[in-house]
Amino acid sequence: MSDRVPVGVLGATGMVGETLLRMLAEHPGFRVAEVGASERSAGSRLRDLIDPSALAPDVADLEVKSLDSDWSSPVILSALPASVARTVEPELAGRGHLVVSNASAFRADPGVPLVIPEVNPDHLALVDHQSDRWSGGIVTNPNCVIAGLALAFAPLHRTFGIERASVSTYQAISGAGRPGPAAFDLVDNVIPWIGGEEPKIGAEPRKILGTLGPDGLVDATFPVDATAVRVPVLHGHLAAVSVELAGAPGADDVRHAFESFRGQVADLDLPTAPTPPLAVLDGNDRPQPRLDRDRGAGMTVTVGRIRPGEAFHVSFVVLSHNLVRGAAGAALLNAELCRAQGRVPGVPA
């Protein structure tokens, strides 16, 4: 990745967009060439809308474009709200751009890959069949809590086979974006429901862990009972998981599967990919958001409290940084994989 490919960032003034800009500041393979946001931000300099301290001066001085502007970058990283992305992203893909999206608008589309590079890089082949819809393409990353959960599911499903699961997530405030829940609602409190989250906790891992065949993608079939809770933590989504696995492996077998997992892109040297992608922690009190969310610059997923279950075979806890592994870093890593596979328009692998 010696030549830095120009990229555009949509939703650049939001929390995920800002995180993307920080991660791209010294990226060896990509450089920020264009930024876009809502009409109320268009025409302003980026430095006047967000803290410029983590940005290169040339990026801080960029003028924010409206979303319907002409874009020149071959890769567009989208941190748009789903309602906006549903219109804007296919328009850009139709103009020949590769849109790498953090938005949920096209995650469930059977013709659009939902990718975690360490888990299902082969699903990017779905882009090859998008030519009847767009001259470019759309690639998505999963929901912020699924990015960690599906990465933990992957070695279990591939090694044993997941038969069913129960998941309770404890999701950070920043996962709601700005302005997020009112402080009055969360101080001394938790909110035991997050709108729209629970259906994704089953559906997205099944797509990610599905099998790509000649007739398209066939999702995995294991059921998941899910509960999503908002907690007064700034960053870091925690999930308490219980799984029933084929063959009834024990906790030591599950731990070995986690510790052995290196993912399917370890040999590509993708700049944002941590090694290993999963860290297994000892002790009954880990992982914790404040102590563990920043491992691997926020890209490492941590697993702990691996223990035998009573109603299920094994239980464990998963933690991931929702703004990095769960959002900005997930999209950036997908863009790196697309480049490594030669899927960036006009750019050799």
Side-chain angles (χ1 to χ4, degrees):
M1 290 194 180
S2 57
D3 297 323
R4 299 180 76 200
V5 174
V7 301
V9 176
L10 304 180
T13 59
M15 294 184 74
V16 175
E18 286 188 47
T19 305
L20 263 171
L21 293 173
R22 288 197 298 271
M23 296 185 74
L24 285 161
E26 297 181 2
H27 194 277
F30 297 117
R31 63 177 179 85
V32 179
E34 306 167 282
V35 294
S38 63
E39 289 296 330
R40 66 178 178 274
S41 299
S44 301
R45 296 291 172 185
L46 191 59
R47 65 166 59 254
D48 296 326
L49 300 173
I50 64 173
D51 180 5
S53 61
L55 306 179
D58 59 329
V59 174
D61 285 335
L62 287 174
E63 181 177 315
V64 178
K65 304 173 74 166
S66 62
L67 299 177
D68 58 359
S69 299
D70 289 330
W71 296 76
S72 60
S73 301
V75 178
I76 305 294
L77 299 173
S78 173
L80 294 173
S83 58
V84 180
R86 186 161 295 280
T87 299
V88 172
E89 291 179 359
E91 289 179 353
L92 290 167
R95 296 182 215 161
H97 301 279
L98 176 67
V99 180
V100 183
S101 176
N102 179 68
S104 64
F106 292 94
R107 287 178 192 155
D109 188 314
V112 174
L114 178 62
V115 175
I116 298 174
E118 295 96 336
V119 177
N120 61 332
D122 58 309
H123 289 194
L124 279 182
L126 288 172
V127 175
D128 299 338
H129 302 285
Q130 293 179 0
S131 57
D132 59 340
R133 304 170 70 179
W134 310 299
S135 56
I138 297 178
V139 175
T140 64
N141 58 262
N143 169 275
C144 50
V145 77
I146 305 307
L149 180 65
L151 191 59
F153 273 174
L156 304 185
H157 194 57
R158 301 277 163 78
T159 304
F160 311 110
I162 296 175
E163 296 185 339
R164 63 187 180 112
S166 176
V167 178
S168 294
T169 67
Y170 306 92
Q171 299 183 214
I173 300 167
S174 58
R178 289 196 182 101
F184 188 83
D185 293 333
L186 270 179
V187 172
D188 189 34
N189 199 26
V190 298
I191 301 172
W193 177 76
I194 303 173
E197 288 289 288
E198 290 165 359
K200 299 173 187 175
I201 293 171
E204 291 188 14
R206 286 192 290 265
K207 182 175 181 181
I208 292 164
L209 294 172
T211 303
L212 186 62
D215 297 322
L217 185 63
V218 178
D219 290 358
T221 57
F222 54 84
V224 179
D225 282 339
T227 302
V229 178
R230 186 74 69 195
V231 296
V233 170
L234 187 58
H235 306 305
H237 288 349
L238 197 72
V241 182
S242 295
V243 289
E244 187 167 311
L245 302 168
D252 289 343
D253 300 311
V254 167
R255 183 186 182 97
H256 179 72
F258 286 143
E259 291 178 333
S260 303
F261 183 70
R262 292 296 178 268
Q264 298 187 38
V265 294
D267 59 341
L268 295 181
D269 295 324
L270 303 180
T272 304
T275 304
L278 282 174
V280 180
L281 305 185
D282 294 318
N284 287 328
D285 61 346
R286 304 290 285 277
Q288 296 180 26
R290 193 166 59 188
L291 299 179
D292 300 306
R293 63 192 171 207
D294 293 320
R295 288 175 180 268
M299 287 297 289
T300 299
V301 175
T302 52
V303 180
R305 299 209 64 211
I306 305 167
R307 60 203 189 277
E310 186 169 315
F312 291 78
H313 292 142
V314 177
S315 296
F316 54 90
V317 174
V318 183
L319 173 71
S320 56
H321 196 305
N322 53 293
L323 288 182
V324 185
R325 170 57 83 166
L332 181 54
L333 187 56
N334 276 349
E336 293 170 359
L337 177 61
C338 287
R339 183 177 179 185
Q341 288 192 356
R343 297 185 182 280
V344 174
V347 179

